[in-house]
Amino acid sequence: MTRTVTAGLDGSPESRAAVEWAAREAALCDLPLKILHVREPETGADADERAAAEAWARTVRDSAEGLRLRHPGIEVVTDQVTGEPARALAEAADGSELLALGSRGLGRFGGFLIGSAGLSVIAHTMRPVVLVRAGEQAADEHRPDPSGVPSAATPFLPVVLGLDIDDPEGPGRPLLEFAFDAAARRGAAVRVVHAWTPPPYAAYGIPAEPPVVPSYGRRASALLTEVLRPWRQKYPDVEVSEASRAGNAAPVLVEAAREASLVVVGRRVRASPFGIHIGHVTHAVLHHVGAPVAVVAHA
């Protein structure tokens, strides 16, 4: 069965921005776009529930018709289900190439306000979930034109990838593959960002082994280069830049993502079925980065 790029639509400006982003991504991926609306069960009269369902069906149909006009090259399908939103969206994600969700923006560089349903979906699906802020425009993902005016006709900004190469289980192949695929589709560069922590005694200025702190940086840079070597070979047409920085990973990545067409971060798959666990770095990026953010689960 052909996978789709799926977008959740609830009528809000942020969900409409997510649908538009998903339409552009579906065109890049040469995949159908599915617009999904999840209705929570009504507690009123049957007639009221039927009227609400019909109204939402018209909204979804109108959205689909508009997308077909604006993006004539993609197939657009619609679906409407009744149920608990987080569960229904997670189930939809599992059958999709990726799921796009809207999230209220806090300004151009202000990032997102993540609702509980969005966090739950991110934490409970193995498929990539992309958060798109309200007001997101195609031109925001591209470099300004020579006069400084935003334009969707210019090259894409880089895809920024936050990578933990110190993870004992490895940096996560799905994460790397998603970022490089996204960059290749866009004809964009990949900027890989890794943050490393200096040894504890460095904070106290102990000069016992002055060369040790710089050696941490050299080791991290060399390891990052080695991790990326097979991906450079697999994607020879994708320009790759590396940034290995000392410091806390969250602010380092947020700063690096100020100019990005897409930011890609990972979520470690956890065995516990309880609670919402997405990691503090991913959580910080979701709240403080203005570009679309893709969260990719990896074991």
Side-chain angles (χ1 to χ4, degrees):
M1 184 175 64
T2 302
R3 287 186 177 272
T4 63
V5 173
T6 300
L9 177 66
D10 62 10
S12 65
E14 51 269 23
S15 73
R16 294 184 185 278
V19 169
E20 287 290 342
W21 182 91
R24 300 194 297 272
E25 190 69 11
L28 290 172
C29 297
D30 194 23
L31 289 174
L33 168 67
K34 177 189 284 188
I35 305 173
L36 174 66
H37 171 63
V38 182
R39 293 182 59 248
E40 295 191 74
E42 300 283 347
T43 57
D46 289 346
D48 293 338
E49 185 170 351
R50 283 196 301 272
E54 290 169 1
W56 270 111
R58 286 193 300 271
T59 297
V60 174
R61 284 198 305 269
D62 290 346
S63 177
E65 286 302 317
L67 287 166
R68 293 185 184 107
L69 291 172
R70 292 189 295 277
H71 306 275
I74 65 171
E75 177 187 354
V76 182
V77 297
T78 63
D79 194 12
Q80 187 173 13
V81 299
T82 300
E84 196 275 318
R87 182 185 298 274
L89 288 167
E91 290 175 355
D94 288 340
S96 304
E97 190 68 19
L98 62 83
L99 173 69
L101 297 177
S103 192
R104 294 200 305 279
L106 301 174
R108 177 64 185 90
F109 296 111
F112 304 100
L113 292 174
I114 311 299
S116 59
L119 284 174
S120 180
V121 173
I122 291 170
H124 293 103
T125 179
M126 293 298 295
R127 302 305 303 166
V129 179
V130 179
L131 275 294
V132 182
R133 65 179 174 82
E136 169 71 16
Q137 300 289 328
D140 296 336
E141 300 164 23
H142 293 254
R143 299 185 184 279
D145 70 13
S147 63
V149 176
S151 171
T154 57
F156 277 93
L157 290 165
V159 172
V160 173
L161 167 62
L163 195 61
D164 181 7
I165 60 174
D166 297 320
D167 191 315
E169 296 183 41
R173 182 182 179 88
L175 184 65
L176 284 152
E177 191 160 40
F178 183 92
F180 274 83
D181 277 349
R185 289 194 298 270
R186 289 162 170 75
V190 172
R191 186 180 187 203
V192 185
V193 180
H194 166 65
W196 54 275
T197 304
Y201 57 75
Y204 298 97
I206 299 175
E209 295 180 272
V212 171
V213 175
S215 73
Y216 267 67
R218 289 193 295 272
R219 171 190 168 276
S221 294
L223 183 56
L224 181 59
T225 297
E226 189 61 30
V227 167
L228 295 176
R229 189 184 309 279
W231 297 94
R232 289 179 186 271
Q233 295 170 351
K234 184 177 180 179
Y235 295 86
D237 296 330
V238 174
E239 178 185 343
V240 182
S241 64
E242 305 171 21
S244 182
R245 301 282 185 268
N248 183 284
V252 168
L253 183 53
V254 168
E255 179 62 28
R258 287 189 175 274
E259 291 190 352
S261 60
L262 180 68
V263 179
V264 183
V265 290
R267 175 185 73 81
R268 170 66 57 193
V269 176
R270 298 176 182 270
S272 172
F274 303 105
I276 294 176
H277 305 285
I278 64 172
H280 75 280
V281 175
T282 294
H283 202 279
V285 169
L286 288 172
H287 279 275
H288 297 292
V289 168
V293 176
V295 182
V296 183
H298 60 101

